[in-house]
């Protein structure tokens, strides 16, 4: 029987204390099953700690551990994209570096891929995180539901497995600001959820600051949908119609009761309200234009400073070569 190869892609950021346990658990888990081989693609997202040194030490002893060192911190999704480009496995599994993903449940996670599904995502019943993050997750889930047309019951998470063709398809997305969940949802409708418990974070604290989360959120908001623009247009129509009717009413009112005082306060309220809405919409439009600009500017998703234990060229370039050789 042909061996199935699994690629584990791990974005690494501030995880010098936890990454070794994650690597050991992957080794222990995959070696339990005959017929499976694996590689790890650890992507150092320009972490300020010594995680790169830790990875390199492991990589020296174990060639299955491949390392990408990114020149800039670009966030988890860009780091994942970099890792996907070098993944050679039949199945690509994304794992966090902090030990929160229950890697011992790997085989349960992979099960749906052998039964017609293209992507399998861990589903955690109770989220082990702060109230603030819970609120963030809720907003994110609602956003994905409305803007990315995520089925309601489907839960997105940090522990996922996909077939090779999905990974290849995702890599075609070359714009800056990748958003993996959006890419999953636009690639296939066959996405499974597997129920399992998320673990507590062992060491350190979340690498996601408020600003980074906000960034990611705006990203998902604007990268895959023009619905916010449509809503802006609709709101514009509603407000101008309301303004028009209100204007008529004011004139009629003035004619009927000529001695009424001019209402500056109501005027101010309306001006403030409408100009606020206008500014918000202009900001939104600016966001889209900025993104178009950055895209045509060819801003990279990530920049690789160094690779370790990687001999092959990445799939993106492979695709590119294939295209070129056709012409
Ligand atoms: N991460 C990253 N770059 C960053 C921040 C985080 O690559 O700038 C990675 C991190 O290494 C981890 C994953 O994103 O693998 C999730 O990060 P974290 O555990 O801090 O977030 P949380 O689990 O709290 O959502
Ligand atoms: Mg975490």
């Amino acid at each position: 029987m042909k061996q199935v190869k699994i690629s584990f892609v791990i974005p690494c950021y501030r995880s010098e204390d936890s990454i070794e346990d994650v690597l050991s658990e992957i080794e222990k888990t995959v070696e339990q099953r005959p017929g499976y081989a694996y590689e790890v693609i650890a992507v150092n997202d320009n972490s300020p700690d010594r995680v790169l040194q830790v990875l390199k030490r492991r990589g020296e002893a174990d060639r299955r551990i491949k390392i990408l060192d990114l020149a800039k911190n670009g966030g988890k999704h860009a780091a994942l994209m970099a890792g996907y480009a070098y993944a050679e496995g039949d199945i690509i599994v994304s794992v966090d570096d902090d030990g929160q993903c229950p890697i011992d449940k790997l085989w349960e996670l992979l099960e749906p891929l052998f039964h017609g599904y293209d992507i399998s995502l861990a589903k955690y019943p109770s989220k082990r995180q702060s109230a603030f993050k819970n609120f963030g997750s809720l907003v994110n889930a609602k956003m994905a539901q409305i803007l990315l047309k995520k089925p309601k019951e489907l839960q997105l998470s940090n522990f996922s497995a996909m077939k090779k063709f999905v990974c290849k398809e995702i890599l075609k997305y070359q714009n800056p600001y990748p958003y993996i969940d959006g890419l999953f949802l636009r690639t296939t409708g066959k996405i499974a959820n597997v129920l399992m418990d998320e673990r507590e974070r062992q060491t350190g604290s979340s690498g996601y600051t408020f600003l980074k989360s906000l960034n990611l959120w705006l990203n998902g908001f604007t990268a895959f949908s023009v619905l916010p623009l449509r809503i802006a247009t609709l709101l514009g129509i509603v407000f101008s119609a309301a303004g028009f009717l209100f204007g008529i009413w004011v004139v009629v009112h003035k004619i009927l009761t000529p001695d009424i005082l001019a209402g500056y306060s109501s005027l101010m309220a309306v001006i403030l309200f409408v100009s606020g809405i206008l500014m918000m919409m202009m900001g939104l439009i600016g966001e889209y234009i900025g993104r178009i600009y950055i895209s045509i500017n060819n801003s990279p998703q990530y920049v690789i400073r160094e690779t370790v234990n990687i001999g092959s060229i990445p799939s993106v370039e492979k695709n590119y070569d294939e295209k070129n050789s056709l012409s």
Side-chain angles (χ1 to χ4, degrees):
M1 202 181 86
K2 192 183 158 279
Q3 229 183 12
V4 178
K5 186 170 181 177
I6 307 175
S7 298
F8 292 89
V9 178
I10 316 179
C12 300
Y13 188 75
R14 290 185 191 275
S15 50
E16 57 181 9
D17 295 328
S18 58
I19 190 69
E20 290 208 86
D21 288 344
V22 174
L23 294 175
S24 304
E25 194 177 10
I26 287 175
E27 179 166 27
K28 207 179 92 204
T29 308
V30 181
E31 286 182 349
Q32 277 168 3
R33 291 248 170 154
Y36 286 87
Y38 79 95
E39 64 174 0
V40 168
I41 296 138
V43 187
N44 171 35
D45 192 16
N46 202 27
S47 177
D49 65 357
R50 295 179 53 81
V51 65
L52 181 64
Q53 280 83 335
V54 175
L55 287 170
K56 280 185 173 171
R57 194 157 36 77
R58 292 286 293 234
E60 264 172 34
D62 187 347
R63 300 263 311 161
R64 290 173 300 187
I65 297 177
K66 306 178 174 183
I67 304 163
L68 300 177
D69 180 28
L70 300 188
K72 272 178 71 182
N73 176 264
K76 175 180 181 172
H77 294 242
L80 282 172
M81 287 297 273
Y84 293 161
Y86 286 85
E88 290 181 329
D90 308 296
I91 293 172
I92 293 89
V93 177
S94 314
V95 191
D96 273 2
D97 61 354
D98 53 8
Q100 282 188 284
C101 300
I103 295 169
D104 56 329
K105 299 281 184 337
L106 175 73
W107 306 114
E108 285 158 51
L109 183 74
L110 297 192
E111 202 53 38
L113 298 189
F114 298 101
H115 294 98
Y117 286 96
D118 300 323
I119 297 175
S120 175
L121 305 169
K123 180 173 185 163
Y124 306 131
S126 55
K127 278 259 171 145
R128 295 183 197 280
Q129 53 187 13
S130 66
F132 170 70
K133 281 209 86 171
N134 264 335
F135 176 72
S137 304
L138 188 80
V139 174
N140 251 328
K142 274 279 164 237
M143 185 195 76
Q145 216 174 303
I146 297 168
L147 300 182
L148 306 176
K149 305 209 165 36
K150 179 183 79 72
K152 189 161 186 282
E153 333 69 57
L154 191 73
Q155 190 183 305
L156 303 165
S157 78
N158 57 5
F159 191 30
S160 67
M162 62 178 146
K163 289 182 179 164
K164 192 189 199 120
F165 86 90
V166 177
C167 185
K168 274 191 167 171
E169 185 61 35
I170 285 177
L171 286 171
K172 288 183 189 157
Y173 186 77
Q174 299 273 298
N175 290 344
Y177 309 122
Y179 184 64
I180 304 294
D181 301 328
L183 290 169
F184 278 165
L185 290 166
R186 83 169 189 183
T187 302
T188 174
K190 292 213 171 295
I191 306 181
N193 252 165
V194 181
L195 202 66
M196 57 183 80
D197 274 319
E198 184 174 25
R199 294 184 192 149
E200 301 274 8
R201 198 176 223 288
Q202 297 300 328
T203 55
S205 59
S206 171
Y208 269 91
T209 56
F210 174 70
L211 214 65
K212 271 191 196 173
S213 304
L214 183 75
N215 241 325
L216 195 65
W217 187 72
L218 253 180
N219 208 5
F221 205 94
T222 52
F224 293 96
S225 171
V226 289
L227 194 64
L229 284 180
R230 301 234 169 96
I231 294 172
T233 312
L234 209 74
L235 275 178
I237 293 170
V238 169
F239 279 108
S240 53
F244 183 70
L245 294 178
F246 185 63
I248 292 177
W249 180 81
V250 167
V251 172
V252 172
H253 196 58
K254 184 74 184 166
I255 293 168
L256 295 181
T257 44
D259 49 339
I260 189 176
L261 282 176
Y264 289 107
S265 43
S266 61
L267 204 65
M268 275 312 283
V270 171
I271 288 178
L272 278 179
F273 183 59
V274 173
S275 55
I277 296 274
L278 277 178
M279 261 186 252
M280 195 186 80
M281 287 171 188
M282 300 226 326
L284 191 60
I285 293 168
E287 184 76 24
Y288 279 98
I289 295 178
R291 270 155 203 272
I292 295 170
Y293 175 68
I294 289 167
S295 296
I296 59 172
N297 217 355
N298 276 334
S299 295
Q301 287 174 344
Y302 52 84
V303 178
I304 295 172
R305 181 189 289 132
E306 188 193 359
T307 65
V308 178
N309 289 345
I310 288 176
S312 60
I313 53 168
S315 321
V316 221
E317 280 171 33
K318 259 186 244 162
N319 286 344
Y320 187 73
D321 286 348
E322 275 164 23
K323 250 188 267 162
N324 280 2
S325 62
L326 284 179
S327 59

